[in-house]
Amino acid sequence: MKKTPRKAGAAKRPVARRTASSSFTLSQVAETVGGRVLGDASLRLTGVQGLAEAGPSDLSWVADERLLRQASESRAGALMVPSEELAGGKPAVLCQHPGLALAAWLTVWRPPARPAPGVSKGARVDRAAKLGKGVAIAAGATVEAGAVVGDRTVLCSGSYVGKDAVVGEDCFLHPNAAVLERCRVGARGILHAGAVVGSDGFGYLWDGERHRKVPQMGIVRVEEDVEIGANAAIDRATLGETIIGRGTKIDNLVQVGHNVVVGEHSLLCGQAGVAGSARIGKRVTLAGQVGVSDHVVLGDGVIATGQCGIVRGANVEAGTVISGMPAQRHRDFLRSAAWYARLPELAKRVERLEAREPGKGEGGTAWKSESPKS
């Protein structure tokens, strides 16, 4: 049969991609994650669910022995497990780190959608901006004069790249994310909806009559592989740079003040706030609603538990776990919390002891004076 030639400029037939409804076999999972199949390698599944929600056609995972009971009660058709014992006789993929294996499988099985390359007619791109190869810029996005957008980067509707700003290759700016004037975002950066890189630092001085604004002349430099959550704000430096280190992940609604330095591969969880000129080391974790005052120094590997408050000028040594307000070593905080829980009981004991003291009247305990020893 004679083929009809494709007209010039006509779209190619789209290549079928695996979708969330596509079925898969256990052997496909094992091959993808580098695991070993236990049981029927040809078992066909159609979904991925948690242990409690999974049904006979779903794949689930067991991270450690604490979930053994849930695993045994789960209706999942197959599991990803770190040991044969945790499989409980079910078909499984044996892998060292089931959580990481799950992430690898989901990335392949349900890859994130990316728009086709091209600049929409509804986008506003200044003629003096520089666009890399394969960029995708949606209607309503703005790229100002002198800005640079790297190869294969995606700018969704409402996203903004300011004058002379630089966004690296393979970045993804979700709707209404903004990289403001002269700021830098490294390769493979992800800015979720409403994230702002380069908002003015909160700098004011009292002149005797009013709060006078200090011009914020610096920038923000975000290094490679950083992800910034929805409505998070990273303030530009007063002078110099606010720096977010390579591989750091910042959750929704996090505030990072001017001239802060955050080290590589740190985690800043939801509603954490870091005040100006703080220094955060590598692999630091700030749990939800942690407050870091200005000029604080946190060493590498510090973990601040939820709602911890770290006071101005504190210098926390590397590897320390801290809790409470004001922050203290976690074990000391637990001791204090235990005593705090006993305060009502201790107050009653003190009242009973005071009631036995001679000379106690309505005004309280009559304290006896002691003569100085000769």
Side-chain angles (χ1 to χ4, degrees):
M1 182 176 178
K2 187 177 180 180
K3 294 183 178 179
T4 304
R6 186 167 58 90
K7 295 180 180 179
K12 295 181 180 179
R13 184 183 299 277
V15 178
R17 299 178 66 190
R18 187 180 298 279
T19 65
S21 60
S22 300
S23 65
F24 55 89
T25 65
L26 215 53
S27 63
Q28 287 176 310
V29 176
E31 182 181 357
T32 298
V33 305
R36 178 165 63 87
V37 175
L38 302 175
D40 183 6
S42 64
L43 176 66
R44 189 162 289 278
L45 304 166
T46 59
V48 179
Q49 293 288 345
L51 287 169
E53 299 81 16
S57 62
D58 291 323
L59 174 69
S60 193
W61 72 101
V62 183
D64 54 49
E65 293 181 356
R66 292 174 295 179
L67 299 173
L68 181 58
R69 181 177 176 181
Q70 285 182 260
S72 63
E73 296 175 351
S74 176
R75 297 174 58 245
L79 301 171
M80 286 192 284
V81 293
S83 67
E84 293 190 33
E85 293 75 18
L86 292 179
K90 289 180 179 290
V93 173
L94 186 63
C95 46
Q96 188 174 4
H97 299 291
L100 294 176
L102 173 70
W105 171 246
L106 290 178
T107 300
V108 171
W109 178 61
R110 193 175 185 179
R114 293 182 69 89
V119 178
S120 171
K121 291 181 179 179
R124 181 183 176 276
V125 179
D126 193 279
R127 291 181 179 179
K130 183 178 179 181
L131 304 183
K133 298 177 181 179
V135 299
I137 303 180
T142 298
V143 182
E144 298 284 14
V148 177
V149 179
D151 296 348
R152 300 174 301 280
T153 282
V154 175
L155 305 182
C156 293
S157 180
S159 61
Y160 179 86
V161 180
K163 184 178 179 181
D164 298 322
V166 175
V167 178
E169 63 185 28
D170 296 304
C171 290
F172 200 113
L173 272 60
H174 288 264
N176 298 319
V179 180
L180 301 182
E181 180 182 352
R182 296 181 290 112
C183 292
R184 304 286 190 266
V185 174
R188 298 171 299 280
I190 300 173
L191 274 62
H192 288 278
V196 179
V197 171
S199 45
D200 261 10
F202 195 68
Y204 297 90
L205 292 174
W206 181 252
D207 67 1
E209 296 181 353
R210 62 189 177 91
H211 295 290
R212 182 176 294 276
K213 184 176 178 65
V214 178
Q216 304 295 294
M217 307 299 291
I219 66 167
V220 175
R221 175 162 57 86
V222 178
E223 296 181 348
E224 296 83 1
D225 299 300
V226 170
E227 186 164 359
I228 300 174
N231 295 320
I234 318 297
D235 288 350
R236 68 175 60 243
T238 306
L239 299 169
E241 297 180 332
T242 300
I243 301 173
I244 307 298
R246 178 173 59 92
T248 285
K249 311 302 180 186
I250 297 176
D251 198 1
N252 301 337
L253 298 170
V254 168
Q255 160 69 25
V256 177
H258 55 191
N259 293 94
V260 168
V261 175
V262 179
E264 297 177 359
H265 302 294
S266 290
L267 295 174
L268 279 60
C269 301
Q271 297 185 333
V274 183
S277 300
R279 295 292 182 268
I280 310 296
K282 299 176 182 178
R283 301 177 306 281
V284 168
T285 298
L286 304 183
Q289 296 186 333
V290 165
V292 179
S293 191
D294 56 298
H295 296 86
V296 162
V297 177
L298 302 182
D300 295 348
V302 165
I303 298 174
T305 65
Q307 297 187 324
C308 179
I310 307 168
V311 297
R312 183 180 188 184
N315 191 331
V316 182
E317 65 183 66
T320 307
V321 180
I322 54 177
S323 299
M325 173 60 195
Q328 55 186 313
R329 290 180 181 273
H330 185 63
R331 60 176 179 269
D332 296 332
F333 168 77
L334 293 177
R335 292 191 191 103
S336 300
W339 279 108
Y340 183 82
R342 294 185 62 191
L343 284 179
E345 170 199 343
L346 295 173
K348 291 179 181 179
R349 291 178 64 182
V350 171
E351 288 174 358
R352 288 195 296 268
L353 291 172
E354 287 181 338
R356 297 173 187 172
E357 289 287 332
K360 175 178 172 59
E362 293 181 0
T365 302
W367 298 97
K368 296 179 180 180
S369 62
E370 294 183 0
S371 300
K373 295 180 179 180
S374 57

